[in-house]
Amino acid sequence: DGGITQSPKYLFRKEGQNVTLSCEQNLNHDAMYWYRQDPGQGLRLIYYSQIVNDFQKGDIAEGYSVSREKKESFPLTVTSAQKNPTAFYLCASSIVAGVSNEQFFGPGTRLTVL
Amino acid sequence: EDQVTQSPEALRLQEGESSSLNCSYTVSGLRGLFWYRQDPGKGPEFLFTLYSAGEEKEKERLKATLTKKESFLHITAPKPEDSATYLCAVHQQGAQKLVFGQGTRLTINP
């Protein structure tokens, strides 16, 4: 089955720790995205990548980092510099960024800071 | 600033009671408008893409329409399983990203 997988489903972080969220897709999509969702707010874009080895900051990139070494994978690291990281994180992909193709989402990772 | 506003924030209907959700947008040059359904604790599920005013798309009990300033998601004779949050997003010409509204939380009571 083609799709997007995210792991883990739930993640707990202590203050001062970096954590990495995994996102993998087998849809052969070029573009991948990371969003953050907080209660009562829309999805906010953290980072996106249109092609391997290239990525751009979204609206709320501070305290986050990404890499895109393979077309299928786009991991997100939440660093200790992110002051309020507790949220629901969503990964998405689309055929090509910038062309109005629909984005398809993974099941999400819920991150909680202890 | 580009904005996407959804209304109402929450809507509670009885099973079989038809209604509409609204998504109004202020972008210069719409490239596409997207509707998604999101169940609690899950990722959004793609429903429709609309590209130009006057366009309509249908899927089961849902129909999406588009004008130059807003989109409606009409739900006809809804069932309890239609309960979810419905998100809309717009893609502006020249932009690389989608702008999402805050969603409408729809509850259908049996």
Side-chain angles (χ1 to χ4, degrees):
Chain A
D1 282 336
I4 303 174
T5 57
Q6 291 185 241
S7 62
K9 186 173 174 68
Y10 300 97
L11 186 57
F12 299 91
R13 191 193 92 169
K14 293 182 180 178
E15 295 272 356
Q17 279 185 337
N18 293 354
V19 291
T20 298
L21 283 60
S22 169
C23 177
E24 304 276 332
Q25 55 98 359
N26 60 4
L27 299 168
N28 200 32
H29 285 174
D30 289 308
M32 297 186 75
Y33 311 80
W34 273 106
Y35 291 90
R36 170 181 173 138
Q37 188 174 36
D38 295 282
Q41 296 194 37
L43 278 65
R44 293 184 290 167
L45 184 64
I46 304 173
Y47 268 98
Y48 66 99
S49 168
Q50 301 179 65
I51 197 169
V52 174
N53 292 323
D54 186 50
F55 48 83
Q56 287 79 42
K57 293 182 179 179
D59 299 319
I60 55 165
E62 186 176 349
Y64 300 97
S65 66
V66 293
S67 62
R68 186 87 185 276
E69 297 177 1
K70 300 188 299 181
K71 186 175 184 177
E72 303 79 20
S73 178
F74 191 40
L76 174 75
T77 297
V78 184
T79 75
S80 57
Q82 171 49 238
K83 297 306 177 190
N84 185 22
T86 295
F88 190 49
Y89 290 87
L90 289 160
C91 178
S93 70
S94 66
I95 295 175
V96 178
V99 178
S100 206
N101 289 299
E102 47 270 11
Q103 294 181 14
F104 295 93
F105 286 83
T109 292
R110 186 165 300 279
L111 173 63
T112 303
V113 173
L114 301 175
Chain B
E1 183 180 315
D2 297 335
Q3 270 202 321
V4 180
T5 304
Q6 291 188 246
S7 62
E9 274 189 35
L11 180 62
R12 191 177 290 269
L13 300 172
Q14 289 300 120
E15 185 173 0
E17 181 185 0
S18 301
S19 188
S20 297
L21 314 182
N22 178 264
C23 173
S24 63
Y25 59 92
T26 54
V27 300
S28 52
L30 179 73
R31 193 115 186 224
L33 185 141
F34 305 85
W35 281 99
Y36 290 86
R37 169 194 170 124
Q38 186 176 25
D39 292 303
K42 298 191 176 180
E45 173 191 345
F46 170 75
L47 292 173
F48 304 109
T49 307
L50 301 166
Y51 292 106
S52 57
E55 190 174 0
E56 297 182 353
K57 294 269 180 77
E58 280 189 71
K59 180 179 179 180
E60 295 180 355
R61 294 176 293 281
L62 298 175
K63 183 167 89 172
T65 62
L66 182 64
T67 72
K68 288 188 177 179
K69 292 187 177 181
E70 58 191 349
S71 176
F72 291 94
L73 185 65
H74 307 277
I75 182 160
T76 302
K79 299 181 178 182
E81 53 262 42
D82 295 320
S83 297
T85 295
Y86 291 85
L87 301 169
C88 79
V90 301
H91 183 196
Q92 180 185 11
Q93 284 185 358
Q96 300 295 326
K97 64 177 186 177
L98 301 184
V99 178
F100 280 83
Q102 289 153 308
T104 293
R105 190 172 65 254
L106 177 66
T107 303
I108 309 299
N109 295 318

